[in-house]
Structures are given as C-alpha cells and as structure tokens.
Amino acid sequence: MNFIESIKMAFASLMINKMRSFLTMLGIIIGISAVITITTIGNSIQKTLSNTFNTLGGATLELYLTVKDDYEGEWSEEEEEDMITLEMVDELLAQHPNELYMSVTQNCGKASIPKNDTVDLQVNMLAITDSQFKLPTVRKQIVKGRAISKADCEQCKHGCLVSDVFVEQYFKPNEDPIGKTLTFTMETGENYHFTIIGVMEYTELEKNQLGMNQIRNLDEIETHIYVPYHTMLKLSGKDPGEQTMSWVDIGWTNDCDVETAKKYCHEYFDEKYANNDQWEVEIFDPAEQMGMINTVLNVITIAISIIAAISLIVGGVGVMNIMLVSILERTREIGVRKAMGALNTDIRRQFVIEAIIICLIGGLIGVAIGITNGFVISAIAKAIMNSVASQYAEYITLTVQPSLTAIFVSLGFSMLTGLAFGYYPAERAAKMNPIDALRYE
Amino acid sequence: MSNSPVIHMESVTKKYYIGEPNELQILFDIALDINEGEFVSIVGASGSGKSTLMNIIGLLDRPTDGSYALSGNDTKSLDDIQLSRIRNKEIGFVFQNFNLIPKINAVRNVELPLLYAGMPQKKRTERAMELLELVGMGDRYTHDPSQLSGGQKQRVAIARAMANNPSIILADEPTGALDTKTGRMVMDLFHKLHKEEGKTIVLITHSPELAQETDRMITISDGRIISDAERVPSLIRPDSDSDSDREGADAE
C-alpha cells in the first residue's frame, strides 16, 4: 500500500467523524494561531518601525569627518582644507550618476517679500538639491508646476518652489502663481530674484507646526521657499570647491542598495583622505540603529512564541487521547485489515498519518487564524492611532507582515506533534493480535 | 490440478499458557489434508477447538507443535510479514459477523485485500465491481454496510474473500448470524463458487445440517478429529472431477 493511498484513507476516516476530528484539531488550532498571531505582531511592529524610520529620514547615509583611529598627533579642530567640499560630493555623484544622490537642505536664513505697501511676508529660504523631493522624508507634494530639477542646480537657475500657504498669502484666488517672479530681500540686505516654477503642499502636521491653527492673521505665517542649492551657492559667491561641509547626507536610488552606496562612499573618500593624517570620512547608517530594536523585538517574540507553543503539547496530548479512543473503537477493523493481509507497518502508517493530518490541518487553520488576527489587530491599531495621534498618522504606515519562517516552523512543529503523539497509539494498533482484535466487542 | 493438498497438517497441537500452572491444550495431534477444489466442513460444538483450528489454517495463529503446509509451503519458518502476505493472497476470510469495515461502501470493502496487495485504485475498483456482480450485489456497490441487510453484507464479505483469488476460502459460521432463508442463499453462493469457480472452501460450523451439504465433513471434539467422512454423492450437487482428485489424494 503506498503513501498516497494511506493519506486518502486517513482523510476518509477523518471525514467519518467530522465533529470529533475538528475538536481534536482545536488544541492544535489554538496553539498554532497563538504562535502565528504573536509572530505576526512582532514582525509587523518591526516592519512598521523600519518603514516609519525610513520615512522619517532613515534612508540616507550621513557622511561626517572624524579623527582617524591611528592618529597619534595633537588634536585640533578641523581646518578648512580638511572639510568635505561640495566639489568632492559632486565628483562622487558623477561617478555613480544613477545610483547616488546628495540630499541637502541648507537654511539660507530669512527673507522678506513685499506683498503690498504695508505688508512684508517673512519666509525661510531653503536651498535644496534636485533629489530632495524624491526623498521619502519629504512628503510634500507638488500640486502645481514642477519640482527643482537637476538642470536648475547645474545651471544655477533662478527658479523657486513656494508653498500652498504662500500662494494663499501672496496671490489672489484664481491667480496663477507659476511664472511670477518674486523679489527676496535677505537679512544681509541683498535682493535676489526667483521665478516660481512650482507649488508644493504642506502636510497637516507641517501646517500645525507652522501655527496655522493658532495664528489668526495668515500673513504672519513664515512659509518655506525652496531654491536650487547651486544657485544659492553661486549667489553667495562661493565655488563648489570652497563650499565646505562638516557632514553630508547621501541617498541612493532603486538601482542601488545601502551596502553598495556605503562601498562607493568609502572607496571615494578613503582615497581622498588617504594622505590626510588626522581626518577621515566616516559613514553613519541610521538603519543600523534599527538592528538593536529588532534584536530586542525578536527575543520577545520568540520567548512569547515558545510559551504559546507549550499549548501545542496540550493539543498533542488531546490528539493522542482521541487516537487511543479511536483505535479502541476500531479494534475489529484493525483485526479485519490484518486478516486481509495488512502488515503492521500498514496499520501503523495509517494511524500515524491520521494523527499528522489532524495536526497539519489544525496547523493550517491556526496559521490562517493567526494571520487574520494580525490584520484585525492592525486595523484596531490604525483606528486607535487615527483617533489619538492623527497628525502623525501619515508618517506611520502600519504594515502587517506575517513571518514566513514562523509559519513554516509552526506547520513543521504541528506535524511533529502529530508524529510524536500519534506514534504510540499507532504502534499499539499495529501490535494488536489479529485474533483478539477480530473477537473484540 | 496439483497432487499436493492445499492444506496439509501433521500432528498439529495448540497449547495456551505454556509452562504455567493453567496450561491449556486446545488441539491434540491434528492430521488433516484438504485438496484443491474440495468443499469441506469442520463441525464441532463450541469449545471443541474448531475456531482455533480455523485460526491456524488462516495463519492468524501458529501451532504450538506439528507442521502445517499451505499450498505445499511449510508455514513454520515464515515471519509475520510473510504470513500477512500469504493471508492476503491465499486465504479469503468469511466471518460470522461479516466484519465489513463500517462507513466505507461495499466496493471499498471488497477492494481491501486488493489494496494491501498493492493493486492500483482503478484496477481495484474494476475487480471489486466484477466480484460484487458475481455475488449478485452489482447494484448495491455504493451502499455502506449499515445500509445492507445481513445476507447482503455476507455476500459483500464473500466477494471480499474472493478478491485476490485465494487458494482457500475460510468461512467461520457464515450463516450463524442469518435467518434460515438468507442463510440458504449464502450457502447456495458457496456451492456456486465451489462448482463454478472451483474454489476450495473450508466451512466451519456447528450445524450438522449445513455440514451435510458439503463433500466432506470433519468432526472435531475436545481438540481431536473424531471423524472425517466423505459425503455420499448427494442430491444437491452431481459429482465433479474434484471428487476423483480427492480419492486419489486419499489413496496416498
């Protein structure tokens, strides 16, 4: 008798007593669904944290100057010539044009724009690179026109991005802001001219931070104006070689990954600073901080899972109990099968497979329930978050991520439970004396 | 037809609780030859040892002493697996209480010996249907045992016993749980199998009337064969060549 026949036969005999089969499974179902629920929650928290982390700025590498490990000379502050320059960064990016980008937001101070004779609007000038609006950190949407492009930076164009709030402040309703040129009077007294190329929208959280809800007079709100980084640099009269920075954020595109990006940065700056006695460029990957949180979460998840898995043993004992009853009930059947030529192995296999199938089906149902629980809990968490901390809601993406490992391990474990607790009853059935079994009433 | 008997027993004894104070001997020095194509009945009161003898013939039990050869093969040296195989291929059991497996239908019950013989599903079903047709149950093959009457159950059981075309059919009180009329029907079926299929049938019964119908009647009492009588050529069945064969064997 082959294996598939045995499985069919086991299914057939489980179908005969559906209620009992289900109740037997229940122990396994509860055990497995508990384990899967816990691991799904653990895994989802991890995934949500790391997503949120990336959203809030985890997705860039921070490059900074640091003293070399083997430096033994006198400690001193970094000199101008030791600093990372924009030229270096541009060179690095030029080597990997579609893989790396620089992420810069430089505050250029406040400026005022005359709205009319009596009112000057105060704005914050922010110099950014073209990649800035691609960052997941920047959740601002371009609602009109376009974002700052690479060409804007490279050719030092005088285009700027204004906000929806600014449009409300400065323009009449229905007036099209695109193409209008603004005059910015900087704190230093200089006047710069920028033409509006696009309008971006603030998020609710940002609007709150701007004080939209507290400040009565719309004109008092200081909005942000984005201008191309290189344009501002040129206006300040600096050359990219002179523009120094103590740190720089490097991001990577989908064509690259974090490890490759790190490699590129190391390659470039290690060579650049090879001859520098004191200084070198170090890379800080904020995502590494996540590693520790993940470890802690993993330990907690595994610990609770093991406790939940203990309930599987209870379920297994239930399976064994029912198998023993079932075998006693079917003593005559076993006798007949033996008289008809069934080998001990045939009988043993039949009952072991029955036990395994009970546990496996129970396991599958448990997995399904566990995953469903994950989604239900996520829905509840989302509802709670929306009512308690709605302003942060857009930064946090709740992700339900069932752990595949946990699913396979627990299915394997439930099969093992079936094997372990089904073997003894099956062995008893196999060892029955056919004459006694046939006579059993 | 072969010259060696299908069943050959020499000084078979069976004891229980060997070496204990309550040692019990059931069978004493049984010598028995049953030839191919014979329809033999073994008669005895309850407790006479006929069931024990049947278990030994059916390879469900081993003799304590003596030798038993089935189809010319000595069974003493066989292990459990080999015994199971022989039970599967060479012996068809028919029980008093039918012993059909509940909750599985007639075809599946008949398929059982074929299943353990390793026959593929499709061929199994074909063969089972054929057999059910033979015992007149062709129209009830999807019925569960619980939906069948006693006589019908026993016919399914007989079809099952025939499944692997065994050398002998061992019927233990096959009419014991049936009323006279259905019992008659079952006996007629045995006669049919004997006559038309040439089956060797060993019928164990306590009823002398049923035993009278068979070719040969072996009477057991207190674990010993006390008579082994050929039936006078009968009213029920004209002689066949199996009789001459048997006479040849008896002459040995």
Side-chain angles (χ1 to χ4, degrees):
Chain A
M1 197 174 62
N2 66 35
F3 199 64
I4 294 163
E5 302 273 15
S6 309
I7 291 174
K8 274 192 202 160
M9 210 153 83
F11 263 109
S13 63
L14 291 178
M15 288 307 282
I16 288 168
N17 232 323
K18 292 192 192 71
M19 188 65 183
R20 181 201 279 182
S21 302
F22 174 73
L23 288 176
T24 312
M25 279 174 204
L26 206 57
I28 304 292
I29 293 176
I30 292 170
I32 296 285
S33 65
V35 172
I36 296 295
T37 306
I38 290 156
T39 51
T40 302
I41 292 173
N43 221 24
S44 301
I45 291 177
Q46 249 176 47
K47 192 82 190 162
T48 303
L49 278 182
S50 92
N51 276 354
T52 309
F53 188 74
N54 286 343
T55 310
L56 296 177
T60 55
L61 297 174
E62 196 179 307
L63 275 55
Y64 59 96
L65 271 182
T66 181
V67 176
K68 279 185 177 172
D69 283 343
D70 53 358
Y71 178 68
E72 282 170 358
E74 208 168 299
W75 286 68
S76 59
E77 288 295 307
E78 65 262 39
E79 299 291 331
E80 193 84 342
E81 71 255 28
D82 296 322
M83 305 263 272
I84 303 170
T85 65
L86 181 64
E87 199 177 27
M88 289 183 199
V89 177
D90 280 342
E91 202 178 2
L92 169 67
L93 300 190
Q95 285 173 8
H96 313 285
N98 294 318
E99 293 170 289
L100 300 182
Y101 58 81
M102 176 177 60
S103 152
V104 179
T105 306
Q106 195 187 350
N107 198 335
C108 306
K110 288 187 179 168
S112 62
I113 302 164
K115 182 182 176 183
N116 49 43
D117 293 344
T118 52
V119 182
D120 282 350
L121 292 172
Q122 295 295 314
V123 294
N124 284 306
M125 300 283 282
L126 294 172
I128 59 167
T129 47
D130 59 293
S131 56
Q132 197 64 5
F133 271 70
K134 292 180 201 145
L135 282 180
T137 337
V138 183
R139 302 194 37 107
K140 296 180 240 340
Q141 300 269 319
I142 303 293
V143 287
K144 238 180 214 170
R146 60 176 179 84
I148 286 167
S149 72
K150 207 170 178 177
D152 290 330
C153 284
E154 280 168 2
Q155 297 164 25
C156 300
K157 288 190 174 166
H158 284 239
C160 72
L161 269 177
V162 298
S163 61
D164 52 346
V165 177
F166 180 82
V167 172
E168 233 177 291
Q169 290 172 323
Y170 190 81
F171 294 103
K172 298 183 191 74
N174 301 328
E175 196 179 349
D176 185 11
I178 307 288
K180 300 282 184 330
T181 302
L182 303 172
T183 305
F184 298 84
T185 308
M186 304 301 287
E187 282 173 324
T188 52
E190 283 148 304
N191 281 332
Y192 297 146
H193 300 281
F194 284 94
T195 307
I196 298 172
I197 56 169
V199 179
M200 59 100 186
E201 192 177 51
Y202 280 121
T203 61
E204 286 306 315
L205 182 63
E206 285 169 329
K207 284 186 181 170
N208 275 338
Q209 285 168 348
L210 287 172
M212 288 280 282
N213 299 334
Q214 293 98 47
I215 298 170
R216 284 289 162 88
N217 188 350
L218 193 65
D219 290 345
E220 284 175 25
I221 295 169
E222 289 177 12
T223 64
H224 297 88
I225 307 285
Y226 292 92
V227 294
Y229 185 75
H230 292 70
T231 311
M232 272 319 270
L233 196 66
K234 196 177 169 193
L235 288 173
S236 66
K238 271 185 184 162
D239 179 81
E242 291 173 292
Q243 174 63 18
T244 58
M245 359 189 195
S246 41
W247 54 267
V248 59
D249 278 343
I250 298 291
W252 60 94
T253 65
N254 289 336
D255 293 335
C256 190
D257 59 64
V258 59
E259 289 309 319
T260 322
K262 276 188 204 170
K263 202 186 83 193
Y264 289 154
C265 297
H266 269 303
E267 273 170 9
Y268 180 81
F269 284 103
D270 284 354
E271 198 202 319
K272 275 278 164 198
Y273 283 80
N275 297 324
N276 193 315
D277 291 336
Q278 189 180 357
W279 300 97
E280 66 177 351
V281 171
E282 195 54 65
I283 300 172
F284 171 72
D285 181 4
E288 276 170 10
Q289 301 260 302
M290 283 299 290
M292 216 161 66
I293 300 171
N294 284 346
T295 311
V296 172
L297 266 175
N298 277 339
V299 169
I300 294 171
T301 305
I302 289 170
I304 301 177
S305 295
I306 288 170
I307 295 167
I310 291 171
S311 67
L312 270 184
I313 293 169
V314 180
V317 172
V319 171
M320 178 142 102
N321 192 11
I322 291 297
M323 289 306 292
L324 284 172
V325 170
S326 158
I327 280 158
L328 202 63
E329 261 183 13
R330 287 153 71 184
T331 302
R332 277 261 290 279
E333 175 187 329
I334 294 163
V336 174
R337 284 180 188 277
K338 287 193 151 188
M340 299 292 144
L343 303 177
N344 287 359
T345 34
D346 290 328
I347 304 289
R348 186 187 305 118
R349 184 163 57 192
Q350 180 186 345
F351 287 104
V352 166
I353 288 179
E354 262 182 47
I356 290 180
I357 285 177
I358 287 181
C359 290
L360 196 57
I361 294 177
L364 285 169
I365 297 174
V367 166
I369 293 177
I371 293 174
T372 314
N373 281 347
F375 280 100
V376 170
I377 290 167
S378 144
I380 294 170
K382 198 170 266 171
I384 291 173
M385 202 172 67
N386 282 342
S387 60
V388 175
S390 58
Q391 67 269 38
Y392 296 107
E394 60 190 308
Y395 289 94
I396 297 168
T397 321
L398 283 177
T399 317
V400 181
Q401 179 92 23
S403 157
L404 274 182
T405 326
I407 289 172
F408 286 121
V409 167
S410 50
L411 284 182
F413 201 72
S414 69
M415 273 176 79
L416 211 66
T417 310
L419 186 68
F421 290 96
Y423 191 84
Y424 169 71
E427 187 60 27
R428 251 173 77 155
K431 288 267 169 68
M432 272 182 195
N433 177 345
I435 303 170
D436 297 338
L438 278 168
R439 270 202 220 115
Y440 185 84
E441 290 299 327
Chain B
M1 288 197 177
S2 90
N3 290 322
S4 66
V6 178
I7 293 168
H8 175 73
M9 279 188 179
E10 261 176 66
S11 49
V12 163
T13 59
K14 181 68 188 175
K15 292 178 189 171
Y16 289 105
Y17 315 117
I18 296 162
E20 289 171 40
N22 55 347
E23 185 177 298
L24 184 65
Q25 185 157 8
I26 305 291
L27 295 177
F28 298 86
D29 200 27
I30 301 283
L32 180 63
D33 278 314
I34 294 174
N35 291 307
E36 188 170 344
E38 267 192 301
F39 190 173
V40 183
S41 55
I42 297 174
V43 203
S46 65
S48 61
K50 62 183 195 305
S51 289
T52 307
L53 181 60
M54 190 202 96
N55 287 339
I56 291 174
I57 295 174
L59 296 175
L60 292 169
D61 208 349
R62 291 168 188 267
T64 311
D65 235 318
S67 77
Y68 166 35
L70 181 70
S71 302
N73 304 314
D74 188 25
T75 58
K76 197 169 216 158
S77 57
L78 301 177
D79 63 17
D80 279 350
I81 292 173
Q82 288 165 317
L83 288 178
S84 294
R85 295 258 149 80
I86 294 173
R87 275 206 298 273
N88 182 242
K89 303 267 195 217
E90 305 288 337
I91 299 162
F93 288 92
V94 178
F95 303 96
Q96 177 175 9
N97 46 15
F98 325 119
N99 273 338
L100 295 178
I101 295 181
K103 315 262 183 163
I104 68 173
N105 65 31
V107 194
R108 294 279 175 264
N109 263 292
V110 177
E111 279 178 17
L112 212 59
L114 302 168
L115 173 79
Y116 291 116
M119 192 186 271
Q121 172 75 62
K122 217 179 139 196
K123 277 177 77 181
R124 255 175 16 221
T125 312
E126 257 168 48
R127 170 81 179 139
M129 299 287 285
E130 214 174 273
L131 288 161
L132 285 170
E133 210 70 57
L134 181 76
V135 299
M137 291 290 292
D139 53 340
R140 293 222 163 65
Y141 58 93
T142 55
H143 287 48
D144 276 0
S146 58
Q147 297 166 295
L148 298 173
S149 71
Q152 288 169 333
K153 279 185 209 170
Q154 199 56 298
R155 281 191 280 166
V156 172
I158 293 169
R160 182 177 66 181
M162 296 278 291
N164 277 324
N165 204 9
S167 313
I168 46 171
I169 289 181
L170 215 50
D172 184 8
E173 302 272 9
T175 61
L178 303 174
D179 59 56
T180 324
K181 205 173 139 225
T182 46
R184 180 71 259 147
M185 201 170 63
V186 167
M187 280 308 288
D188 288 345
L189 186 57
F190 279 120
H191 283 297
K192 180 181 159 195
L193 293 177
H194 177 226
K195 207 160 73 179
E196 290 173 14
E197 310 280 320
K199 282 283 149 218
T200 312
I201 301 170
V202 178
L203 173 76
I204 287 120
T205 179
H206 67 273
S207 148
E209 292 81 34
L210 286 181
Q212 285 296 335
E213 291 180 21
T214 61
D215 297 344
R216 184 177 160 199
M217 185 164 108
I218 296 164
T219 313
I220 286 196
S221 181
D222 294 330
R224 289 183 177 83
I225 294 178
I226 54 166
S227 84
D228 184 349
E230 305 271 325
R231 182 176 54 84
V232 193
S234 83
L235 324 150
I236 296 161
R237 196 181 61 85
D239 254 358
S240 72
D241 50 2
S242 64
D243 280 22
S244 58
D245 198 48
R246 188 185 67 237
E247 275 153 25
D250 283 352
E252 279 179 333

